[in-house]
Amino acid sequence: MSYFFQLVVSGMVVGSIYALSALGFVLIYKSSRVLNIAHGQIIAAGAFITYALTVMVGIPLYIAFLLSMIITFFLAMAVERIFLRKLIGEPIISVIMVTIGLMSILDGLIYLTPFGTLNLSFPPFFPTTPISLGGVSISWTQLVGVLVTAVFIGGLSWFFKKSTLGISMRAVSDDQLAAMSVGISVPKVFGLAWALAGMSAAAAGGIIGNITGLNFDTLHAFGILVFPVVILGGLDSIIGAVVAGIIMGLIQQFAAGYLDGNWGLNGTADVLPYIVLLILLLFKPHGLFGTHEIERV
Amino acid sequence: MATNRWLATGNFFSTYKEEQRIFLTNIDRLTIWSLIAALYAWPLIFQMSNKNMLVIDSILVAVVAVIGLNMVTGFAGLISIGHAAFVGVGAYTAALLAASWGESHAILTHAWPLVILFSGLVGAVIGGFVGLPAMRLKHLYLAIATLSFQMIFTWTINFMTLFNQGQTMPLPRVFWLTGKVVRKDHYFFWYFVILTVIVMSGFAVRNLMRTRYGRCLIAVRDNDRAADAMGMHPGFTKVYAFALAGFFAGMAGAMHAYLFRGAGIESFSLHQSISYLAMAIVGGLGTLSGSFFGPAAIQFLDLQVENLSAWAGTILGSSMNLATALRPLTFGLVIVLFLIFEPRGIANWWRITRSYFKLWPFRY
């Protein structure tokens, strides 16, 4: 039984990181209807910047973490300004392809730095002895990761509910024309959405880097696994991202814990999320919490 | 009416049938047929090395695959991020036949056109099956559903011992009227085979787009609710678009497997799917000529970048792995620049050039 709970706990941990990464997608999609395929690369960039600042420059981790969030904030804003601003109003496939191109460009840029091929891990920052509660153990890094995720999601929810900027972002996602007519600058909101997404990506990257170590290929694979999470939750729902993230984390951990090794299966954690996604999409074509678009001819 | 059969001096169509002709003038007919004749003739005149022939052959295989992708993404407007998996289905169909019947079975070595066709049909069935979610899903949800297929395909191949766990599965050399196609002639021979398939599928697609089965694809792309109201069945059309794409991809896959004498998972990865999408976009989505330009442009670029990074590697030393960095960098830049500055792709340049010569010496 404790094995089961152990899996539940680690599933929640992985899931909350998925949720944090998926949040960035949802932010961008909600405001500008762009699916940012390059999000995984921004996550990786955030992780590498954090590492470079802590280990190479020697700044304490929490300050480096904040700094990397600020850097990716502006990085993502620049990306939006340079690549996406020109494509407002273009068909959806062009926009997706631009973000795919962006993914390649960022890949190339990361490979240019030494981080592209190295296997790195953060120096231990938190106590290394895990906390155990009734046979279930969780490491300090994971715990802090979950806490940071919770804080982030709570903060963003507050931001969207209460602050003027957040409300204007919701207005833009609801109806761009109406938002413009009450004096909201739509391009500025797009830029801000990207910047916030970049920030959350950096946070996710920093946490993953601390938990699993830094390897570009792993981060890459992680970035792709965030797609089923966002689609499962519904592209434009923050709650959906959180719920689907945790569901996917649990699925992965249970697959790795119970399926692998039995009946000659292995590596099911990489494929089961997609199978579950396909089956669920047959019943709920807009994900769990996505808005149903009402379409007219 | 006595119209000029050689030169179009204006638009004198009085029936829809006239407008839908493949060749509007005899000059058009002459250019296309002489172009095809030239394509068949040049390898006989210029002796190419095996290495160069292989590059040209792989471009041609990509052309067949991109024709398929253009059916589903270009004409029917359904984004497919899993096209390499369909190509893989074709390749692995041929490879499985070789594995279960033995490598030198007569059907594989002598009746290889049937194997290619059969792989295409298997691709079509799998394509139609994967396209089933398209009945309900739209836009991005569908794109990620096709991505899911790509992931499941990769996992299945890597996992199952039936598929040699992603290691290369061998295919035999084939026989032709003149006997066994030996190593020296292998790529030379397949050039003609693939070219024939391309010419046939080119005309097939062109003709398909003149019938209602082709035009309903475009109608569904432009507005599926309106198409529904006009009496088409959007859900069925989408599944059928996926099946068509799967057919071309399956043929391309079987030819790929024969050409490289084996099927291995690395040719059918997610990265390759994205490359196919890039080829379709650089060539021009929803155009037939774009399916020819796109693969050629992307493969050519790939080669040049390889040369460039090899050259840069000799200067800078191998401390930085420039090849791995430059390839995605240029690839991404080309996609982005094309989408921003020429969203209609190289096919649009081709259109502009053609109309220039058609109207010359006048401007319009």
Side-chain angles (χ1 to χ4, degrees), chain B residues 304-314 321-324 326-327:
Chain B
Q304 293 308 313
V305 170
E306 224 159 75
N307 291 342
L308 177 74
S309 46
W311 173 77
T314 54
N321 46 356
L322 268 174
T324 41
L326 279 182
R327 271 177 86 173

Side-chain angles (χ1 to χ4, degrees), chain A residues 77-89:
Chain A
M77 207 181 229
V79 162
E80 196 269 344
R81 176 64 59 87
I82 297 168
F83 295 105
L84 273 303
R85 188 66 61 84
K86 294 193 166 69
L87 286 167
I88 293 177

Side-chain angles (χ1 to χ4, degrees), chain B residues 14-29:
Chain B
S14 51
T15 57
Y16 286 116
K17 212 175 156 192
E18 265 179 68
E19 196 191 354
Q20 286 180 15
R21 279 189 316 221
I22 291 184
F23 303 112
L24 287 182
T25 61
N26 284 347
I27 297 242
D28 279 353
R29 185 167 316 199

Side-chain angles (χ1 to χ4, degrees), chain A residues 29 83 86 93 96-97 100-101 103-105 108 117 224 231 235 264 266-267 274 277 282 286 295-297, chain B residues 73 79 136-138 140-141 144 147-148 151 155 159 225 270 274 281 321 325 328-329 331-332 336 339-340:
Chain A
Y29 184 79
F83 295 105
K86 294 193 166 69
I93 178 159
I96 290 189
M97 275 315 288
I100 287 180
M103 175 174 91
S104 280
I105 293 176
T117 43
I224 290 174
I231 294 290
L235 270 169
N266 60 51
Y274 294 100
L277 172 77
L282 286 180
H286 291 91
E295 295 179 328
R296 296 185 185 84
V297 174
Chain B
T73 303
I79 304 165
R136 295 197 70 188
L137 301 184
K138 288 211 138 167
L140 296 169
Y141 291 96
I144 301 298
L147 175 78
S148 304
M151 291 321 220
W155 182 82
F159 166 68
R225 276 110 23 191
L270 176 65
I274 292 173
I281 284 185
N321 46 356
L329 194 62
F331 179 75
V336 169
L339 279 166
I340 292 177

Side-chain angles (χ1 to χ4, degrees), chain A residues 38-120:
Chain A
H39 201 67
Q41 276 62 25
I42 300 181
I43 293 176
F48 292 139
I49 292 170
T50 317
Y51 183 84
L53 287 178
T54 36
V55 178
M56 297 178 180
V57 184
I59 301 172
L61 181 64
Y62 46 93
I63 298 177
F65 193 65
L66 287 178
L67 268 178
S68 86
M69 289 201 316
I70 294 169
I71 294 172
T72 40
F73 182 92
F74 289 108
L75 181 84
M77 207 181 229
V79 162
E80 196 269 344
R81 176 64 59 87
I82 297 168
F83 295 105
L84 273 303
R85 188 66 61 84
K86 294 193 166 69
L87 286 167
I88 293 177
E90 291 278 332
I92 201 167
I93 178 159
S94 311
V95 181
I96 290 189
M97 275 315 288
V98 163
T99 57
I100 287 180
L102 199 61
M103 175 174 91
S104 280
I105 293 176
L106 289 177
D107 266 353
L109 288 179
I110 290 175
Y111 277 125
L112 274 181
T113 66
F115 292 114
T117 43
L118 290 178
N119 260 321
L120 302 167

